[in-house]
Amino acid sequence: MALDEVKEIVESGENYDTDKEFKYVGTRPDRPDGLDKVTGRAKYGADHYVANMLHAAVLRAPHAHARIVSIDTSKAEAADGVKAVVIGTDLPEGLTGGDLHLQENTLARDKVYYDGHAVAAVAATSALAAKDAVKLIEVEYELLPHVIDVDAAMAEGAPVIREGEQGPTVPEGMHPNVVNYIEFGHGDLDAGFDAADLVMENTYKTEATHQGYIEPHACVGQLGDDGKGEMWVCTQGQWFIRKMCAAVLGLEASNLRVTPSEIGGGFGGKTTIFSEAISLALSRKAGGRPVKLVMTRSEVLRATGPTASTSMDVKIGMKNDGTMTAGKVVFRMQGGAWPDMAPTGMALNCAFASYDLPAVYHEGYDVLANRPKAAAYRAPGSPMAAFAVESLVDEMTRKLGLDPIEVRIKNGAKEGTKSSYGPTYKKIGLLECLEAAKAHPNLAEKLGPNQGRGVAAGFWFNHGGETSVSMSLGNDGTVTVSAGTPDIGGSRASVALMVAETLGIPYDHVRVNIVETGALGFNEPSHGSRATFATGKAAVEACNQAIGEMCRRAAKRWGIDEDAVEWKDGAVHPAGPNAGEFPPMTIKKIGQTMGRSGGPISGHHETTAGGVGESFGAHVVDVEVDPETGKTTILRYLVVQDAGRAIHPSYVEGQYQGGAAQGIGWALNEEYVYDDMGRLQNPIFLDYRVPVASDLPMIDTVIIEVPNPGHPYGVRGVGETGITPPLPAIANAIADATGRRLRHLPMTPAKVLKAIKNG
Amino acid sequence: MSNKIHVSTKVNGDAVEFLCDPRETLLDVLRDRLNLTGAKEGCGTGDCGACSVTVDGRLICSCLMLGAEAEGKEIGTIEGVAEGGELHPLQRKFIEHAALQCGVCTPGILVAAKNLLEKNPDPTEEQVRYWLAGNLCRCTGYDKIIRAVLDAAEEMRGAA
């Protein structure tokens, strides 16, 4: 392509021609970090050891809600090996809003808000010495009444968790625990319901679940009296860690250098801070010695980001032919003891996103409860919303004797649909997914006794976000890319493929490094399914910039006009016969001679990435329900989802399968269980049981590719949509198998058995 | 702090000695004293399998065994799975099948799967699933892991 074309693409940034043949994009090479990860060499959060390092342990409250009367740390301070102790009042005062909330969650100051809330921490010369020392800290609590359930927290007489947090939109007279209220919609709702032959409404509940990443949070923090610090940490976003730790501790962000480790899963839960600032506070108190802080699994489950629990009302109108005429939802969600942590707004936006409806109305309540501060979890809000809406759609479809896929095709959102949450969709692939699901061989499988089939659609917006990427040319013609989004599931591979494609050089001539906060401008985390989309897009633009420079160098060397050259297959060529006869100047040659031709060659691009493309999907699940025990077995599972374009199809399939597995756990088994004192009863993996290999069948996948014109290779982002349909799809399959409709997750054997027995 | 225990053992065929606190687990010792950080602590309660190692050929969770109990034993960790710089077929197949995403469970799963194939070179899908039921993976849904193990088993049978 000629230089001016490159420039045009760099500047326009949108409406790329995605309808091309590719050499590297869409292939399945080995991931660049594969060797490190199969040999145990890859360094995760807890794998970092530095000279003179101390170890931290955290004391956590055993109460759901209590005032801290006093904390006596003297015995701990005097214990062998202890070098520092910190409590909430050691942190700077005067923070407000979200920063204050992060600080309160880091270390409680006046009150503890949930079982597991951190109240003090110790740094000592060994992990055992630190653990022993925290037991010597004496805390006097004044117990306060607590509330766990979202509906109970809104009810009259519920304990007030916080005063003065109620937002201005909350209707008058509501309980102070209702801190935010959202309402929106379009179309004539009454007319819509009037036009329906069948109007149904029901209430659904989901319980809090945890992201369940296998790697607990871990960091090594070092902070001197001069306010300069370093951190090694497992995180989805090193700049978020920097920003949040700096806010909580009153530091200047640029004085903190944060290096991300390899990350052992995150799913949204590692986009914020929990104990990271504690390691820095301890380090500063211990004279700047580095402090390693590694959470236990119990700490992870008790004190880090579960998702919201919900209570949801849905009302839908449908004609006898399946045409949907109106939809209304009222969602109540708690996200712990801090405002704005429940993904209420996003859940509402997702509720009817898969449908083209003339009239929709949404209402949402953000509610406080004595639970851990919720964090993002894969498509925040969408799985719960899908459970409620897709369950009711299914129930109505069955009642009218219609096919669940046909009803979704009939009402499905497509290009030009005004979405339920406002914007009009550009190119999207929901109908293509539904058609592919319909044609899949799994649907031809005959079902036996006690077996059932369930279908559901799912949606996620996807996200662009703040992105900064650099690439540089080596003197052998190979390329290094500096990216700011931690590689959580193969994004080094996908970025390398796009860079190889753009430059026309072999995949293994590209090395993608995930870099620390000093090496690039601000990057948002690997969240919102954005890493391959946004980092990839910026990497392509950075390459285009370097291509421009390489073209200029060659033109100068050849003594011809800059516009008379073009970049093709990893080399600069004369653009046409009039440009003169020159042998192609390869990237290797350019790299070898760049010191003499003007100096190092690199490309850089930063943007708040636009051009995001939504990803829709459809799941079909076959289950068998044991009528004697109520246990549900997944027999077959099919995920169909629009990737836009699959850069590395194996890792796209992996996202589909992983999302489905998490959704299956949420649907059937996972939940936060509390006793009547508000204490979490299942904070270990034995009792908070995530799906294991013997729980699941192979998970079939179909990748639909409706390219996103807002990305140079058509990428949409694939990480999140896959967790949304399993919740309703499995409920629908259980209804098909048993004739019983379960409206409260998880659908444990006990609940299913009860439904079978009670009718 | 002072009553450390002296332990002599073998790790991946090499003789090693260490001092440890009586409360330290084998996992603590491997990671903190022997610099072998391939085994991970995902739970500390034997539920996730990320710390899987072999002790005298038997698959265990190293978080459930004390370091002091390693005296006179032969420990096998992920760092010993590739022999002489050559990847074990399971390691190659895991990369080839994209059987890892974040990769933190991968060392434990590879150690467990290798142990399975030593006992049963021709496992069914169900046998692989039940053998690996003690190794949690939160990223993959297990599909590609199971395929990689079955494929490696087939290749190893062909080579045998």
Side-chain angles (χ1 to χ4, degrees), chain A residues 437-576:
Chain A
K438 197 167 78 174
H440 194 274
N442 281 14
L443 275 89
E445 295 282 342
K446 292 270 181 287
L447 296 173
N450 303 312
Q451 297 183 350
R453 179 163 296 154
V455 174
F459 162 81
W460 187 244
F461 313 92
N462 293 331
H463 181 59
E466 291 171 76
T467 309
S468 173
V469 172
S470 290
M471 62 76 74
S472 61
L473 180 62
N475 48 20
D476 57 356
T478 63
V479 165
T480 305
V481 178
S482 297
T485 42
D487 182 352
I488 203 159
S491 61
R492 284 185 185 92
S494 63
V495 171
L497 282 165
M498 289 183 274
V499 166
E501 189 74 50
T502 305
L503 293 171
I505 62 173
Y507 167 76
D508 58 8
H509 284 196
V510 182
R511 173 156 183 163
V512 180
N513 294 322
I514 310 300
V515 300
E516 47 100 354
T517 50
L520 285 174
F522 188 90
N523 274 276
E524 280 181 41
S526 297
H527 68 169
S529 297
R530 73 177 214 95
T532 294
F533 171 78
T535 297
K537 187 171 174 174
V540 168
E541 302 295 16
C543 289
N544 285 335
Q545 193 183 57
I547 287 171
E549 179 60 21
M550 290 189 282
C551 286
R552 274 189 288 279
R553 300 267 175 112
K556 196 174 162 193
R557 174 82 185 267
W558 292 336
I560 62 175
D561 198 80
E562 283 181 22
D563 294 338
V565 304
E566 64 177 352
W567 183 263
K568 206 169 59 184
D569 299 330
V572 184
H573 299 252

Side-chain angles (χ1 to χ4, degrees), chain A residues 392-679:
Chain A
L392 188 57
V393 169
D394 188 76
E395 197 167 348
M396 297 174 77
T397 302
R398 284 174 201 282
K399 197 156 191 163
L400 294 173
L402 301 170
D403 178 82
I405 296 185
E406 293 298 347
V407 166
R408 284 171 175 84
I409 291 173
K410 194 179 196 77
N411 297 285
K414 50 190 171 294
E415 186 172 2
T417 296
K418 181 180 166 59
S419 70
S420 57
Y421 58 99
T424 298
Y425 291 124
K426 293 182 184 169
K427 257 177 133 180
I428 54 171
L430 173 62
L431 298 186
E432 287 81 351
C433 290
L434 289 163
E435 293 289 351
K438 197 167 78 174
H440 194 274
N442 281 14
L443 275 89
E445 295 282 342
K446 292 270 181 287
L447 296 173
N450 303 312
Q451 297 183 350
R453 179 163 296 154
V455 174
F459 162 81
W460 187 244
F461 313 92
N462 293 331
H463 181 59
E466 291 171 76
T467 309
S468 173
V469 172
S470 290
M471 62 76 74
S472 61
L473 180 62
N475 48 20
D476 57 356
T478 63
V479 165
T480 305
V481 178
S482 297
T485 42
D487 182 352
I488 203 159
S491 61
R492 284 185 185 92
S494 63
V495 171
L497 282 165
M498 289 183 274
V499 166
E501 189 74 50
T502 305
L503 293 171
I505 62 173
Y507 167 76
D508 58 8
H509 284 196
V510 182
R511 173 156 183 163
V512 180
N513 294 322
I514 310 300
V515 300
E516 47 100 354
T517 50
L520 285 174
F522 188 90
N523 274 276
E524 280 181 41
S526 297
H527 68 169
S529 297
R530 73 177 214 95
T532 294
F533 171 78
T535 297
K537 187 171 174 174
V540 168
E541 302 295 16
C543 289
N544 285 335
Q545 193 183 57
I547 287 171
E549 179 60 21
M550 290 189 282
C551 286
R552 274 189 288 279
R553 300 267 175 112
K556 196 174 162 193
R557 174 82 185 267
W558 292 336
I560 62 175
D561 198 80
E562 283 181 22
D563 294 338
V565 304
E566 64 177 352
W567 183 263
K568 206 169 59 184
D569 299 330
V572 184
H573 299 252
N578 296 336
E581 292 224 355
F582 303 98
M585 193 181 290
T586 63
I587 194 168
K588 184 172 179 184
K589 178 83 179 166
I590 296 167
Q592 283 168 340
T593 57
M594 65 186 167
R596 299 192 298 277
S597 71
I601 294 173
S602 62
H604 184 75
H605 189 78
E606 41 206 0
T607 179
T608 297
V612 173
E614 303 84 355
S615 182
F616 289 86
H619 291 200
V620 183
V621 58
D622 291 353
V623 304
E624 180 167 329
V625 178
D626 183 334
E628 286 181 14
T629 64
K631 183 179 186 295
T632 301
T633 301
I634 308 286
L635 302 173
R636 270 169 228 100
Y637 204 101
L638 170 64
V639 181
V640 186
Q641 189 181 320
D642 178 17
R645 177 158 284 114
I647 302 299
H648 190 308
S650 297
Y651 290 100
V652 172
E653 291 160 3
Q655 289 296 320
Y656 292 3
Q657 292 164 334
Q662 282 186 318
I664 290 167
W666 197 338
L668 292 178
N669 196 67
E670 295 176 37
E671 66 177 314
Y672 268 43
V673 179
Y674 287 91
D675 70 4
D676 57 7
M677 297 293 287
R679 291 183 183 136

Side-chain angles (χ1 to χ4, degrees), chain A residues 244-257:
Chain A
M244 293 173 180
C245 284
V248 163
L249 298 173
L251 307 173
E252 288 172 10
S254 55
N255 270 337
L256 189 58
R257 189 171 77 148

Side-chain angles (χ1 to χ4, degrees), chain A residues 59-127:
Chain A
L59 180 69
R60 295 181 181 278
H63 305 299
H65 196 195
R67 194 172 307 287
I68 298 173
V69 178
S70 64
I71 304 181
D72 182 352
T73 60
S74 56
K75 284 181 194 156
E77 281 165 40
D80 275 352
V82 170
K83 301 297 175 186
V85 180
V86 294
I87 60 173
T89 50
D90 291 328
L91 304 181
E93 288 188 49
L95 274 58
T96 58
D99 291 342
L100 174 64
H101 297 157
L102 284 172
Q103 192 189 54
E104 286 177 336
N105 195 40
T106 297
L107 277 172
R109 188 185 288 268
D110 308 313
K111 271 171 75 171
V112 297
Y113 288 106
Y114 60 90
D115 167 43
H117 196 167
V119 292
V122 169
T125 49
S126 75

